[in-house]
Every structure is written in C-alpha cells, then in structure tokens.
Amino acid sequence: MAGYKRLFYRVALWTWRRSSWMSRNDSSAVFGEAGFSSCRPKVCIVGSGPAGFYTTQHLIKARQDIEVDIYERLPVPFGLVRFGVAPDHPEVKNVINTFTQTGKNARCSFYGNVNIGKDVSVKELQQAYHAVILSYGAEGNRSMGIPGEDLAGVYSAKDFVGWYNGLPSCQQLSPDLSCETAVVLGQGNVALDVARILLSPMDMLKNTDITQAALEALMESQVRRVLIVGRRGPMQVACTIKEVREMVNLPGTKPQMLPTDFDGVREALQDLPRPRKRLTELMLKAAIELPAEKEQEKSNKASRSWGFRFFRSPVQVLPSADGTRTAGIRLAVNKLEGSGEAARAVLTGEVEDVTCGLVISSIGYKSLLIDPSVPFDSQKAIVPNLMGRVQQAAGLYCSGWLKTGPTGVIATTMNNSFETARSLIEDMDSGKLDLSAEKSGAQKIRNLLEKREIKPVTFSGWEKIDRVETMRGGSTGKPREKLLTVEEMLQLAWM
C-alpha cells in the first residue's frame, strides 16, 4: 500500500511539474500549434493612458507567456485619467486601482520618462519587440482657425484642464479670471467640465485633487457667467445627461438660456431615442419651464449663471482697445439643414457679438505624429488601421484615440483597446505575426537609453511619487496634492 502511495505522489508531482512547465514555456499547450514559439512574445506599448493599460490588461490575461513593456513620456502613468478627468469626478479615477494591478503584474513593466520618437525611435522598438502598439492618445489642440484666437485670454480646453489637473506642461498657463463672462466653445463633456469648474463653490473643490495653485486662482476668480456655445441645436448636443444634470444642480448657479433656441424641440421629442430624449427634456425644463418653488428659491439666491447657446459658430475673437487681449467674441448665427444626428449647421448671414474676457476652445483634441516611420492620416489625425492593425506595417498596432480619433468615454476606450489586443493575439495564434525570432525587448532599449543618458522611471519609482502626493494631500483633506514639475517627479522617483 505504501508503495502505491509513493507511486501515486510521484506521478502527481511529475504531472504538476510538467503542466507548470508547459504553461510557462509551451504556448501551443494553450494557444494551439500555430501559436507555438520557443521564445516568449515581447510586446511594447507606447503611452500609459487608459488605452495603453486596457490593451496591456487584455494581453496579459489572454496569453500566459506574453511580456508587455509600457513606455511613457512623463515620469507618471495613467494619462488622461490623471490629467483629464475632472477633479470633482473621483469615481471615474477609481479605474487607476485596476491599472495599478496591471502595472504591478510580473509580466508588465513600466518605463516612464522615455520620449518615443525622440529618445528612442519606433523602428528601434520594432527591432527589440515582436509587436509595437501605439497608444499615446491625442495631445494636440484643434485650431479654431479664426482671427484673434492668439489673443491673451484665449485658451484651449486641453490646456485649461491640464492647468487645473497638474499637467506639467500647462503650469505656466496662469489664466486671467478677472472678467465677468467666459465663453466656452463646444458642447461636449469637457466643455461642461470646464464650465462647472469655473462656477463651482470652493467647498466643492477644496477636497478634490485639483492643484492648490488652481484652487487659489479660482478663489480669486471674477467669472460669474459662462456661456457654452455650439454650432448646432439642443438635439445634437454632444454632452451626456450626467454632466448637464450636474450643471443644473450646481449650488449657487442658475441656468439662463434662450427660449427661441428650443423652438420646435418639444414637438420632436417623441421621435428621439430614449437617452437623447431624456437629455433634451432636461435641457427643456432648465430653459423654458417655470421652476418649482424650491428651484425658484435656489435661482433667486444664485450669484452665478450658465447657459447653452445653440446655433452659433465663432467668427472672430474681438480684441480690447489696445489690441492685446480678448474683449469679446463674434458669433455667426446658424440654421440647421436636415434633422437628428445628421443635421448640418448652415450660416444665415447674421452675427452677434458677446462681451467676454475669457474664451476657452473645446472643439476637440487631436493626435500628433511622433515618428516619421509611422503611417499617419493628417486629415483625420489618426494612424490608419483595421481593427487596430496599422495598415502596411507588419507588427505595428494602435489603440485608443490614436486609432479612432478623440471620441467616447473611458468605457469606449476600453472596448477599442480590447479589440486591438484581440487582433494582436489572433495574429500571434495564426502565425501572421512571426514569433520565431528571439527578441531582447526592454534589455535592448535600456542599453540604448543608457548610451543616450536617459534614465527611465519604473513603476516602483512612480509609487514613490504616489505616496508623497497622497501624503501631501492628506494633510489638507485632499486625496492627493500633485507634483507639478517633471524635475520634482524625477528627483523623487530616483531617490
């Protein structure tokens, strides 16, 4: 009996060792013969925002043998989750917890402070890795293309958001908030974020991760009125109901809109899809319905106001008498041709001038080309691709806004990134992507960086920054107080 037990344990131990070895080394055991390779697939991701982390997350779950390295220009990860999400939306930033788990996975490595296209070329990445995925987002601004947009007092929403969220490159912005009226051009969620931050009571902001410098500037702000301008009508507005409801319920403020902008809207409600119908009903209620007693009381006490202005397009930023800064904006009045999402704004020939000292353009982000070897559609500001596969560039992929343009919310980016990861896995399993060659991955890139005197920041280096930021924030009741310069970040990360 004892002999049988010994034999049983030996067989069990051998089976366990063999299965463990196969799971680590034999991709065909999991992925079929087409995916077999004697070396571990090495993939690198350029950009550590939501697209980069979601792509990584799917890859390391889909294949147990894959190794993923994430390269980021800044010393800190998480991209627009850190620098784009509004400070009063902490629930959206909870996704960082999931990204942190991915970043600490044994098969994932983070290399911050590495500027791909400058410190290392994409071709050098392709030589070091079996596949390269570009996920660096959209850091450019779309130009309005109108006279006066370079005047003092005109800012892009991307830069304004970066200023209050602690993006190092935006800390010299120092926006002048001494005017009474601000005009935000665009009616997406970012435009509403900007309007809300400009009008929010300080009690709502002081316990968020907004930077202390921005908080102090907003405390001194003289802005009392924000107009949110769009070229089409209420039924084409790009924001979501959550953001509009936040504006309607914002303490100390009241909505002020033009009832004529809503002519014919109530009659069209029944034909709208449910989400669009609910959003339009909310705007209608805020714009033209008599408020209930409680809402009337709130309105009477309000010292600040906001409102959508529909059927308007910017024509010119009007200069002050001395020609140095913004004094107003000229808007063309439009009419719609067509209906629904396909409706097109057409000029009527009328214009109107709005007096304001602050203009924030929220007409969209755009991706930029970081390396001349990468195919790029400058018209659409995307890398041409088919389900994340970069056209005419074997082994090169893209995900996120670089793939689709700057559309959707974080959940949209997640699905888009998962699609790219699936495309890559399919190419590995089918043999379309050659895994037979041994690739040195990060080792080759680290050698190049060392020769070029570039020192990366690892994920543990980021965690040092994270601990200090949360400690600094905790002392004042905030979730974190961000470091605002790359120099400060590097000094701390390398300690």
Side-chain angles (χ1 to χ4, degrees):
M1 195 65 162
Y4 279 114
K5 282 185 178 179
R6 282 196 298 272
L7 180 60
F8 171 79
Y9 285 129
R10 284 176 181 171
V11 171
L13 181 62
W14 177 84
T15 304
W16 176 81
R17 284 176 174 167
R18 183 177 184 275
S19 64
S20 296
W21 180 87
M22 287 180 69
S23 69
R24 291 195 306 268
N25 299 287
D26 190 353
S27 57
S28 66
V30 182
F31 309 106
E33 289 300 323
F36 175 79
S37 170
S38 61
C39 61
R40 297 169 75 88
K42 289 184 173 61
V43 176
C44 93
I45 308 250
V46 179
S48 69
F53 269 98
Y54 277 130
T55 307
T56 303
Q57 179 185 314
H58 195 83
L59 289 173
I60 61 179
K61 283 184 178 179
R63 284 188 67 131
Q64 299 304 308
D65 62 341
I66 204 165
E67 294 177 357
V68 183
D69 296 330
I70 302 174
Y71 292 91
E72 166 61 48
R73 180 171 54 86
L74 290 170
V76 295
F78 310 136
L80 279 184
V81 179
R82 177 179 168 96
F83 296 119
V85 174
D88 59 345
H89 284 174
E91 71 286 352
V92 180
K93 301 185 185 190
N94 287 338
V95 71
I96 284 177
N97 298 330
T98 304
F99 294 164
T100 297
Q101 291 176 4
T102 301
K104 296 175 83 167
N105 188 288
R107 292 183 287 117
C108 174
S109 297
F110 172 77
Y111 298 99
N113 193 43
V114 180
N115 193 342
I116 301 302
K118 182 181 176 184
D119 300 333
V120 179
S121 71
V122 170
K123 283 187 176 179
E124 287 171 330
L125 290 178
Q126 289 177 296
Q127 291 165 4
Y129 292 89
H130 293 102
V132 174
I133 304 176
L134 304 174
S135 301
Y136 59 81
E139 60 177 341
N141 293 312
R142 292 192 181 277
S143 168
M144 291 186 287
I146 61 173
E149 69 176 306
D150 295 326
L151 285 169
V154 181
Y155 307 96
S156 72
K158 184 189 81 69
D159 290 346
F160 193 79
V161 169
W163 167 69
Y164 64 65
N165 270 335
L167 183 63
S169 61
C170 298
Q171 293 316 295
Q172 302 304 314
L173 199 69
S174 218
D176 184 352
L177 305 179
S178 62
C179 60
E180 183 178 336
T181 299
V183 171
V184 181
L185 302 171
Q187 295 179 331
N189 285 345
V190 174
L192 267 70
D193 283 346
V194 168
R196 193 178 64 256
I197 295 299
L198 282 170
L199 296 177
S200 286
M202 290 305 101
D203 283 349
M204 289 182 62
L205 295 178
K206 68 181 183 181
N207 294 324
T208 71
D209 68 354
I210 191 169
T211 68
Q212 189 61 29
L215 189 63
E216 290 170 4
L218 289 164
M219 283 178 180
E220 301 298 320
S221 171
Q222 299 302 305
V223 175
R224 296 292 179 267
R225 176 176 178 245
V226 178
L227 299 180
I228 308 162
V229 177
R231 71 184 190 281
R232 297 193 294 171
M235 290 184 290
Q236 291 80 35
V237 71
C239 55
T240 54
I241 192 168
K242 176 182 180 291
E243 277 67 26
V244 176
R245 189 179 292 117
E246 286 177 326
M247 291 301 301
V248 170
N249 295 330
L250 191 63
T253 70
K254 58 185 175 184
Q256 288 184 334
M257 293 188 244
L258 302 177
T260 52
D261 278 357
F262 292 84
D263 287 348
V265 170
R266 191 179 296 282
E267 293 74 17
L269 279 176
Q270 61 182 11
D271 298 324
L272 296 177
R274 187 169 181 272
R276 173 66 69 179
K277 181 180 179 183
R278 289 176 61 234
L279 171 58
T280 309
E281 285 173 337
L282 178 60
M283 289 189 291
L284 265 172
K285 182 180 178 183
I288 61 179
E289 287 187 13
L290 288 173
E293 185 178 342
K294 187 177 180 182
E295 291 167 337
Q296 185 63 59
E297 186 180 343
K298 173 181 178 281
S299 179
N300 292 340
K301 292 180 179 178
S303 61
R304 302 181 180 191
S305 69
W306 65 275
F308 287 113
R309 286 294 181 273
F310 296 106
F311 310 111
R312 307 290 190 274
S313 297
V315 174
Q316 179 185 357
V317 179
L318 303 173
S320 57
D322 62 5
T324 61
R325 59 166 298 102
T326 302
I329 188 162
R330 180 162 294 159
L331 301 172
V333 180
N334 304 325
K335 64 179 180 179
L336 290 189
E337 286 187 356
S339 60
E341 300 296 332
R344 193 166 61 93
V346 178
L347 297 175
T348 63
E350 297 178 51
V351 296
E352 63 181 33
D353 292 348
V354 176
T355 300
C356 63
L358 178 64
V359 174
I360 299 176
S361 170
S362 185
I363 59 174
Y365 294 37
K366 69 173 183 179
S367 296
L368 304 173
L369 178 63
I370 61 167
D371 191 298
S373 71
V374 176
F376 192 75
D377 185 332
S378 54
Q379 189 85 21
K380 296 179 180 177
I382 61 169
V383 170
N385 70 92
L386 186 61
M387 298 178 71
R389 299 176 177 94
V390 177
Q391 295 172 21
Q392 299 173 335
L396 193 60
Y397 300 78
C398 61
S399 67
W401 284 359
L402 186 64
K403 171 185 174 183
T404 62
T407 59
V409 293
I410 287 180
T412 316
T413 299
M414 178 182 72
N415 293 327
N416 146 349
S417 303
F418 285 178
E419 179 188 69
T420 294
R422 285 193 295 270
S423 293
L424 174 54
I425 295 295
E426 285 172 12
D427 292 350
M428 286 181 174
D429 294 349
S430 68
K432 183 178 178 182
L433 187 68
D434 183 15
L435 300 179
S436 61
E438 186 74 40
K439 297 279 188 173
S440 57
Q443 182 181 338
K444 178 181 176 66
I445 303 304
R446 281 196 303 265
N447 291 340
L448 289 175
L449 292 173
E450 189 175 350
K451 289 177 185 174
R452 294 164 190 175
E453 298 183 339
I454 306 293
K455 188 176 179 182
V457 172
T458 63
F459 203 78
S460 61
W462 146 246
E463 288 180 312
K464 292 178 185 177
I465 296 169
D466 183 42
R467 283 193 293 272
V468 168
E469 288 185 343
T470 52
M471 184 177 67
R472 286 173 52 178
S475 66
T476 58
K478 300 173 70 175
R480 73 173 61 242
E481 186 63 51
K482 294 172 185 170
L483 300 183
L484 300 182
T485 69
V486 169
E487 290 72 25
E488 283 182 290
M489 294 173 182
L490 293 178
Q491 187 177 10
L492 191 57
W494 293 337
M495 283 179 62

